[in-house]
Amino acid sequence: MLLAIDTSAGTAVALVADDGRVLAERSTADTRRHAEVIGPFLAEVLHEAGVAAPALNGVVTGIGPGPFTGLRVGIAAARAVALAAGIPLLPVPSHDAVALRLVEGGVAAGRFAVVTDARRREAAITVYAAALPLPTVLEPAHLVPRAGWMPPEGVVAHEAHEIPAAPLAHAALARLAAGLPFPDPQPLYLRAPDVTLSTPKRVTG
Amino acid sequence: MNRENPLVLGIESSCDETGIGIVRGTTLLANVIASSMEEHARYGGVVPEVAARAHLEALEPALREALATAGVALDELDAVAVTSGPGLSGALMVGVGAAKALAVALEKPFYAVNHLVGHVGADVLRTEGEPAIELPTIALLVSGGHTSLLHVRDLTSDVELLGETIDDAAGEAFDKVARLLGLPYPGGPHIDRVAAEGDPTAVRFPRGLTLPKDLEHHRYDFSFSGLKTAVARHVEKLRDAGLEVPVADIAASFREAVADVLTAKAIAACLDRGVPRLLLGGGVAANARVRALAAERAAAAGVELRIPPLSLCTDNGAMIAALAAQLIMAGHAPSALDVSADSTLPVTVVQA
Ligand SMILES: [Zn+2]
């Protein structure tokens, strides 16, 4: 049984059995309330399934890409649950959840790109080749300008506004089953921190 | 839950310090602080996104270290506490997210508390034999993030904001003036060091909001923006005239102006309110001149001055745990799990 948390877009939490059944889930597309809803979502999902955290086999955390501020809430929460319950942390790129759902649903075939908003007139994209149980990453997550960007030849772009937590857990289950390694539990910021190096200005004319 | 002597873990992430503290009632068990100060040095001030990234990385190691130092296991805790505001929004959210998840996973009560009142709460943590905090007290809380004067009648239920800065925080003014004088970040300790050799009466820099007309509406408020500009103007004039800038004298004169305003207003509040106690908190409490002038003026006014140890004055998780322990012992119910990180949480809201 895995708990999956993603806050790279809105906030999504799901509890998924080892066979992939979704036992409980909560989500909101609201991109401004991550720190608020993470508490109730975690409590409700565990309560609804009647599960205590130490009974979990792992915590799946979506590592983005996503606008920074919200993204960190889910990663901080997932690390805390893993520490509290003494269970492994399983980091998964957030786009993998969308890609898996698109392939499982028969929506995507061949080569395709998952596109999410990165703010500041940019989008984050990951290019995949359709495959199961896990789509193959052809180009890892990176930023492209919103205006004028065209997917590479033969690649169909799929824009996502939410990252669902259940397929994030499914992606983790597939990695576990195939013995594939997990990435580092570091957020995919894709951008250096925004800083303006101010030089002291003259105050007299 | 143990309400007599609760074992509480506190998480603080409102600015550039990641703090994890563990207390049992009023006894300090661990106070681990990881600072991202060095990462901000090249920018001359705290960069919110840099601070927030650093919190995420520092949190888990600090948690493990605090638990090891205190010699307690997570499941022994009676409650998990966190700063929910005021502070930098993105930084606060890291601590709030982690604290809620810890509380849910451990099935322990969650307490979201006010950072500023936490600074006052630090004073309940005493080593054996020391007198306990006495209330009411006036509290002067000064750091790079805030400059506030409080009247605290009850730590858990009756805190009044008397005044605060209307522009820069005092610590910020230290950073900006240090930069102007070519001194490193953070400005406070470096200005303090250089000022020791200088003449504090060399330049009479302005004392913000101390004129009679300002006192009418801003009796307990502070302003450091005019002071900062006055120092800049003074330095530019010297440089334009090709004169050497007497760094020690300017640092000492600037520091004197800050210490003068801070302590004058704090003592005035003690006298006006008939409260014979003043508590200093925040990183600026480390400033030698602020401490000396506060001690001198408090003694002259018959006011008892209290300054917690420096590791409990700067931002830390122990003060958050200590305040939550006070709330628990006073019978307050836990916070809701959906409280938000509130960058402008008013000081009257002790528990969110
Ligand atoms: Zn503070």
Side-chain angles (χ1 to χ4, degrees), chain B residues 53 69 90 115 136 150 181 228 253 273 310 342:
Chain B
R53 289 186 183 193
T69 304
H115 174 83
L150 315 184
L181 295 175
K228 179 193 68 191
S253 300
R273 294 298 179 109
L310 190 61
D342 183 351

Side-chain angles (χ1 to χ4, degrees), chain B residues 26-349:
Chain B
T26 58
T27 307
L28 176 66
L29 301 183
N31 184 21
V32 174
I33 300 167
S35 177
S36 60
M37 194 179 72
E38 278 178 24
E39 294 174 57
H40 304 286
R42 51 191 282 243
Y43 308 112
V46 174
V47 181
E49 175 62 21
V50 172
R53 289 186 183 193
H55 283 305
L56 181 64
E57 294 325 305
L59 207 59
E60 194 179 327
L63 268 169
R64 290 183 189 276
E65 189 185 335
L67 291 164
T69 304
V72 301
L74 277 170
D75 59 11
E76 294 174 53
L77 296 174
D78 288 302
V80 176
V82 71
T83 298
S84 64
L88 302 170
S89 176
L92 288 167
M93 285 167 69
V94 176
V96 169
K100 287 181 177 179
L102 265 188
V104 169
L106 295 167
E107 299 182 34
K108 305 288 186 187
F110 166 73
Y111 284 81
V113 307
N114 187 297
H115 174 83
L116 290 172
V117 185
H119 274 299
V120 184
D123 200 43
V124 307
L125 298 170
R126 296 270 128 188
T127 43
E128 224 169 301
E130 279 181 288
I133 187 172
E134 271 186 83
L135 296 173
T137 188
I138 300 297
L140 173 66
L141 310 176
V142 192
S143 76
H146 46 73
T147 307
S148 308
L149 198 53
L150 315 184
H151 183 175
V152 183
R153 283 173 287 262
D154 185 306
L155 204 46
T156 62
S157 62
D158 193 355
V159 180
E160 179 187 357
L161 178 69
L162 297 177
E164 61 191 336
T165 183
I166 60 167
D167 40 56
D168 294 352
E172 232 179 319
F174 272 97
D175 293 338
K176 288 176 179 170
V177 167
R179 246 184 128 195
L180 204 65
L181 295 175
L183 298 171
Y185 175 87
H190 292 286
I191 286 190
D192 222 16
R193 172 177 53 82
V194 172
E197 308 293 319
D199 174 7
T201 63
V203 191
R204 171 80 194 177
F205 286 124
R207 271 66 169 160
L209 300 181
T210 56
L211 297 174
K213 66 175 168 58
D214 294 326
L215 288 175
E216 263 176 53
H217 295 290
H218 295 288
R219 184 165 183 78
Y220 304 120
D221 287 329
F222 303 95
S223 166
F224 296 103
S225 160
L227 169 61
K228 179 193 68 191
T229 308
V231 176
R233 191 169 288 135
H234 187 81
V235 170
E236 281 169 17
K237 219 184 279 173
L238 290 170
R239 284 188 182 139
D240 288 351
L243 298 169
E244 196 186 319
V245 177
V247 171
D249 285 351
I250 292 174
S253 300
F254 161 75
R255 183 179 71 159
E256 192 64 21
V258 175
D260 182 18
V261 173
L262 289 175
T263 57
K265 294 207 174 204
I267 296 293
C270 292
L271 297 177
D272 295 350
R273 294 298 179 109
V275 174
R277 276 173 296 273
L278 173 62
L279 173 76
L280 295 193
V284 175
N287 188 280
R289 186 56 188 153
V290 171
R291 293 172 83 101
L293 200 53
E296 189 185 303
R297 288 179 171 172
V303 167
E304 184 205 350
L305 177 68
R306 300 179 68 119
I307 311 178
L310 190 61
S311 59
L312 292 172
C313 272
T314 52
D315 291 348
N316 66 88
M319 69 186 197
I320 301 307
L323 177 56
Q326 292 290 309
L327 287 160
I328 293 166
M329 292 188 282
H332 291 250
S335 303
L337 279 172
D338 67 351
V339 301
S340 58
D342 183 351
S343 59
T344 61
L345 187 70
V347 78
T348 44
V349 181

Side-chain angles (χ1 to χ4, degrees), chain A residues 165-189:
Chain A
L168 195 75
H170 292 154
L173 286 170
R175 278 179 190 261
L176 288 171
L180 291 171
F182 286 83
D184 286 336
Q186 303 302 327
L188 297 172
Y189 289 124

